[in-house]
Amino acid sequence: MEKRVIDLSEEAASLSVHLGQLLIRRPEREDSVPLEDILALIVSHPAVHYTHAVLSGICSSGGIFISCNDRRMPAGMLLPLDGNFVQAERFAIQAGASLPVKKNAWKQIVSAKIRAQGCLLAKLNGGDSGLLRLAAQVQSGDSGNLEALASRRYWPALFDEKFRRVPGADNDINRLLNYGYAILRGIVSRAVCAAGLHPCLGIHHHNRYNSFCLADDLMEPYRPCVDKIVHRLVGDFGPGVDLDRDSKSILISGLMSAKCRVKKEYLSIFESTSRLAGSLLSMLEGKKQKLCVPEFRNDKAKT
């Protein structure tokens, strides 16, 4: 069954749960969705009301709940905690991971991210701005900070020389990117919890005030999926395209339908993030040295 992302941002609604169904009552209609089919519920309209049964029901079924602020940007996230029956054991393994193992994992993640950026530029512009060659030069722990060097080439080539990527910035393109990344972060966080790992124990990100350091690590190779959708929105509607119901719908549906290659398989972002989180666990346990990172080289990938 394909999971669903429900975004309640345009009108008031009252949510409740009955017989395993999420009931969504709006002024003009009522809908019901099985809780087990929900990947994420995003609430940004100030007049949406919900019961405790809604929150606990979504998390118990493996879904995530995202609450948005008055600018309709994600401000908080509720995740399922009971995602794995050996969770305590895996938290201990994760907390005790050696620095070389974490540096090796980060190297693979950064390399995959730069490859994905290069492939997107090659597809859109006919040239990768040297990113594919750069991806092959990433060292353990990205000691040369090639991620930053790639970023300085990537953003001007993707949009234009005037564009500046500023996380959290409330302007046109940045706002679209922030929203897409927030949805992606939720998907990755869910995969992390399902693998029995804790989202706050990162392998590279380590901000003491960030509860999703590991999710921020593992989402890096998937960011170009969001970038591609935003690039398409800007191309279709201009650089001033607003973050409204239509653009949100395009971002969500684009992410949910995106495909990437993992080894010899083409997987959805949802499936691929689960595979990546599972392979990280195997690395931390000392069973493997390679992550199942997504690849976007082949045009068959519907990114």
Side-chain angles (χ1 to χ4, degrees), residues 24-220:
I24 307 173
R25 296 185 179 89
R26 301 180 177 90
E28 302 298 329
R29 69 180 194 277
E30 177 175 325
D31 298 310
S32 65
V33 182
L35 288 171
E36 62 184 16
D37 291 351
I38 298 175
L39 171 62
L41 173 64
I42 307 166
V43 176
S44 56
H45 195 284
V48 173
H49 301 275
Y50 37 85
T51 65
H52 172 70
V54 171
L55 303 182
S56 62
I58 289 174
C59 290
S60 297
S61 300
I64 56 178
F65 174 83
I66 299 174
S67 177
C68 298
N69 59 23
D70 56 358
R71 292 184 287 116
R72 305 201 170 189
M73 294 302 300
M77 187 157 47
L78 191 61
L79 292 166
L81 280 180
D82 194 19
N84 197 288
F85 64 94
V86 290
Q87 208 159 44
E89 177 186 352
R90 293 186 172 178
F91 285 176
I93 293 171
Q94 186 181 3
S98 69
L99 187 59
V101 169
K102 292 193 283 189
K103 284 187 172 182
N104 182 18
W106 183 240
K107 170 190 173 181
Q108 295 179 53
I109 288 170
V110 171
S111 183
K113 176 185 180 181
I114 297 175
R115 281 198 303 275
Q117 291 175 326
C119 287
L120 179 56
L121 291 184
K123 189 168 185 176
L124 296 175
N125 302 340
D128 64 28
S129 297
L131 295 191
L132 295 180
R133 184 164 54 87
L134 205 61
Q137 299 171 356
V138 178
Q139 301 295 313
S140 176
D142 188 25
S143 56
N145 201 13
L146 297 190
E147 182 189 21
L149 175 58
S151 180
R152 288 196 291 273
R153 298 182 187 179
Y154 176 69
W155 291 115
L158 184 63
F159 293 109
D160 60 45
E161 293 291 340
K162 297 180 181 177
F163 175 73
R164 294 291 180 270
R165 169 59 190 150
V166 181
D170 191 22
N171 53 47
D172 303 325
I173 295 177
N174 275 302
R175 189 185 300 124
L176 295 168
L177 292 170
N178 294 339
Y179 183 83
Y181 292 155
I183 304 304
L184 181 58
R185 192 188 206 194
I187 295 172
V188 175
S189 296
R190 184 185 185 281
V192 165
C193 290
L197 299 170
H198 200 290
C200 81
L201 299 175
I203 57 175
H204 176 76
H205 290 89
H206 56 273
N207 188 322
R208 62 187 298 184
Y209 303 110
N210 182 1
S211 299
F212 302 98
C213 289
L214 184 58
D216 291 344
D217 290 332
L218 299 188
M219 69 183 280
E220 295 293 349

Side-chain angles (χ1 to χ4, degrees), residues 101 104-105 108 263 275 278-292:
V101 169
N104 182 18
Q108 295 179 53
K263 296 183 178 179
R275 192 76 63 88
S279 67
L280 174 64
L281 174 63
S282 296
M283 278 193 71
L284 300 179
E285 291 175 326
K287 296 178 180 177
K288 293 183 179 179
Q289 294 187 338
K290 295 291 184 182
L291 291 175
C292 292

Side-chain angles (χ1 to χ4, degrees), residues 231-238:
H231 183 274
R232 188 191 311 151
L233 280 167
V234 172
D236 290 345
F237 303 105

